[in-house]
Amino acid sequence: MKIELENVRPMDIEKRSFEIITQELKESGKEIDEKLAPIIKRVIHTTADFEFADLLAFSDDVVEKTMEAIKNGAIIVTDTKMAMAGINKKVIHKYGGDVYCFISDDDVAKEAKERGVTRASVSMEKAAKMGKDVIFAIGNAPTALVRLYEMINEGKVDPKLIIGVPVGFVNVVQSKELIMDTNVPYIIAKGRKGGSTIAACICNAILYMMDETRGM
Amino acid sequence: MKIELENVRPMDIEKRSFEIITQELKESGKEIDEKLAPIIKRVIHTTADFEFADLLAFSDDVVEKTMEAIKNGAIIVTDTKMAMAGINKKVIHKYGGDVYCFISDDDVAKEAKERGVTRASVSMEKAAKMGKDVIFAIGNAPTALVRLYEMINEGKVDPKLIIGVPVGFVNVVQSKELIMDTNVPYIIAKGRKGGSTIAACICNAILYMMDETRGM
């Protein structure tokens, strides 16, 4: 068996990948908004799944609004340790924000058990109680989105952005539709697909756009 | 807009999801090996992408061999912090193993820079030098798989299992083919698709099969 490797320098792998993605998107005839392209392409880079070009949905001016929030010190709250681990913290730290995940906290686990709700749901309440500007990056738990939807309607939380990309089969599609039915800025992957890597990579796409030290 | 949520108790969400996956696999007429079904279904659970039923490739008796290795204290080495964060450590700790990722180690970064290779590649060398039985779970860097392939042929490493599921566009397909061309036990996602969540979830699928305290 003869397997030919493409000779690309480590520092050029990401650039080359984005060239391939740009080329294949063009060949497929998909029109994508230039301002949203860095996000859409990075999600495809993270998944090798071009279907995301159709699945991703954005509220108006979401990139500008999110950048503004980060510049004003907004924090990011995720629903999984994996998503938290995948977010590049450099830019958010620069502006005084940070990345949090409360899913494994003892008090969250205890309260979730007592009330018969998910830890993800309680971890959203804990985030809301911080009294900070929050960008929610949800890659796993539809119950996190459902609880955010309820709290938005109850006036208990006013997210700067909801990245709603849980993956799965039970209430995932519906939970995303609920968020799109609010007035909160959102980036949603419609349908069943999503995941923690995607939640992290959407955060990174926006953070990288704000990082003047990055070449691309 | 009327959005109807399915009423499923938190503890039953995973079970209900697997029922839906099992049902839809059946309806699609795909035949899957009973022994491999927990892995295939968990990858679909993690991605909502049924294409993985076709993409996943397994060497002979890979589940039995991996369980044996874990029982004998094998460690898991990942190529990303995200994959490490996503692995449930309960069973591997029980048998004396642990989960490692060297990608962010200062010595790895330094050496990679000096040699003009990827950190992923150097992190594989560091793992091999531990002198332990290693299960490699690679969800991101094809260069990790390429380096493992070279080291296998040089007699420098003898992995108990390679989970080869990097995602992407540069040498990803080839790196997976290289691993399938060795005599090392493997679980591979053919093609471009994969990711850290998938690497972690394949580990978890096997670890959960070994956990007698789990109901499913």
Side-chain angles (χ1 to χ4, degrees):
Chain A
M1 188 154 88
K2 181 87 186 101
I3 298 159
E4 296 271 2
L5 291 170
E6 193 175 348
N7 189 14
V8 180
R9 291 184 307 167
M11 65 188 75
D12 296 330
I13 293 173
E14 185 168 301
K15 185 162 168 276
R16 176 80 189 111
S17 301
F18 274 77
E19 286 168 3
I20 295 169
I21 294 165
T22 303
Q23 181 62 26
E24 294 193 18
L25 276 171
K26 200 175 161 188
E27 286 166 9
S28 73
K30 283 191 213 302
E31 298 276 345
I32 60 172
D33 186 324
E34 266 314 304
K35 263 194 249 174
L36 304 174
I39 299 173
I40 295 166
K41 288 180 187 175
R42 188 162 291 277
V43 172
I44 294 171
H45 178 253
T46 293
T47 58
D49 189 344
F50 282 84
E51 200 186 339
F52 281 102
D54 299 316
L55 296 179
L56 288 170
F58 301 85
S59 62
D60 292 342
D61 305 319
V62 69
V63 174
E64 295 84 339
K65 286 179 182 174
T66 303
M67 286 181 173
E68 189 63 28
I70 293 168
K71 282 179 185 165
N72 289 331
I75 61 169
I76 298 174
V77 174
T78 69
D79 65 332
T80 65
K81 294 278 181 189
M82 285 191 83
M84 184 168 72
I87 296 170
N88 186 313
K89 281 96 184 168
K90 184 182 157 191
V91 170
I92 194 132
H93 284 170
K94 179 181 157 190
Y95 291 108
D98 209 340
V99 184
Y100 299 87
C101 174
F102 303 119
I103 196 84
S104 306
D105 291 8
D106 288 339
D107 56 335
V108 169
K110 185 163 174 283
E111 188 174 337
K113 199 170 178 186
E114 282 167 5
R115 288 167 49 197
V117 299
T118 65
R119 289 187 295 149
S121 168
V122 178
S123 76
M124 294 299 106
E125 296 172 10
K126 185 163 178 175
K129 283 178 200 149
M130 290 177 79
K132 297 212 176 197
D133 286 349
V134 184
I135 292 164
F136 290 92
I138 309 302
N140 185 57
T143 55
L145 292 186
V146 173
R147 190 68 193 111
L148 285 175
Y149 174 79
E150 293 167 348
M151 287 197 294
I152 291 162
N153 289 336
E154 293 161 3
K156 288 181 181 164
V157 71
D158 183 20
K160 290 294 164 182
L161 168 69
I162 296 178
I163 298 171
V165 294
V167 57
F169 298 86
V170 176
N171 289 333
V172 165
V173 173
Q174 297 95 314
S175 70
K176 293 166 176 175
E177 288 171 354
L178 286 174
I179 298 303
M180 288 191 281
D181 202 32
T182 69
N183 292 318
V184 167
Y186 65 76
I187 300 175
I188 297 284
K190 290 179 286 180
R192 287 170 164 180
K193 285 184 179 177
S196 294
T197 45
I198 299 168
C201 105
I202 291 172
C203 293
N204 288 339
I206 297 170
L207 293 166
Y208 293 160
M209 281 190 253
M210 300 173 72
D211 184 356
E212 291 138 13
T213 66
R214 272 180 79 92
M216 55 183 294
Chain B
M1 189 153 87
K2 182 87 186 99
I3 297 158
E4 294 272 1
L5 292 170
E6 192 176 348
N7 189 14
V8 180
R9 291 185 307 169
M11 64 189 78
D12 295 331
I13 292 173
E14 185 169 302
K15 184 162 168 277
R16 176 79 189 112
S17 300
F18 274 77
E19 285 169 3
I20 295 169
I21 294 164
T22 302
Q23 180 64 26
E24 293 193 19
L25 276 171
K26 200 175 161 189
E27 285 166 9
S28 74
K30 283 194 213 301
E31 297 275 343
I32 60 172
D33 186 323
E34 267 313 304
K35 265 194 249 174
L36 304 174
I39 299 173
I40 296 166
K41 288 180 187 174
R42 189 163 291 278
V43 172
I44 295 170
H45 178 254
T46 293
T47 58
D49 188 344
F50 282 84
E51 200 187 339
F52 280 102
D54 298 317
L55 296 178
L56 288 171
F58 301 85
S59 61
D60 292 341
D61 304 320
V62 69
V63 174
E64 295 85 338
K65 287 178 182 173
T66 304
M67 286 181 173
E68 190 64 26
I70 293 167
K71 283 180 185 164
N72 290 330
I75 61 169
I76 297 174
V77 173
T78 70
D79 65 331
T80 64
K81 295 277 182 191
M82 283 192 85
M84 184 168 72
I87 296 170
N88 186 314
K89 282 96 182 167
K90 185 182 155 191
V91 170
I92 194 133
H93 284 169
K94 180 182 157 189
Y95 291 109
D98 209 341
V99 184
Y100 298 88
C101 174
F102 304 120
I103 197 84
S104 306
D105 291 6
D106 289 338
D107 58 335
V108 168
K110 187 165 173 278
E111 188 175 336
K113 199 172 179 184
E114 282 167 7
R115 288 167 51 196
V117 297
T118 65
R119 289 186 294 148
S121 168
V122 178
S123 77
M124 294 297 107
E125 297 173 9
K126 184 161 178 174
K129 283 178 199 149
M130 291 177 80
K132 297 214 178 198
D133 287 348
V134 184
I135 292 164
F136 290 93
I138 309 303
N140 186 58
T143 56
L145 291 186
V146 173
R147 190 68 194 113
L148 284 176
Y149 174 78
E150 293 167 349
M151 287 198 292
I152 290 163
N153 289 337
E154 294 162 2
K156 288 180 180 164
V157 70
D158 184 20
K160 290 294 164 182
L161 168 70
I162 297 178
I163 297 170
V165 294
V167 58
F169 298 86
V170 177
N171 290 331
V172 166
V173 174
Q174 297 94 313
S175 71
K176 293 166 176 176
E177 288 172 353
L178 287 174
I179 298 302
M180 287 192 282
D181 202 32
T182 68
N183 292 317
V184 166
Y186 65 76
I187 300 173
I188 298 283
K190 291 180 285 181
R192 287 169 163 181
K193 286 184 180 176
S196 294
T197 45
I198 299 169
C201 107
I202 292 172
C203 292
N204 287 340
I206 297 170
L207 292 166
Y208 292 161
M209 282 191 254
M210 299 173 72
D211 185 355
E212 291 138 13
T213 66
R214 271 181 79 90
M216 56 180 296

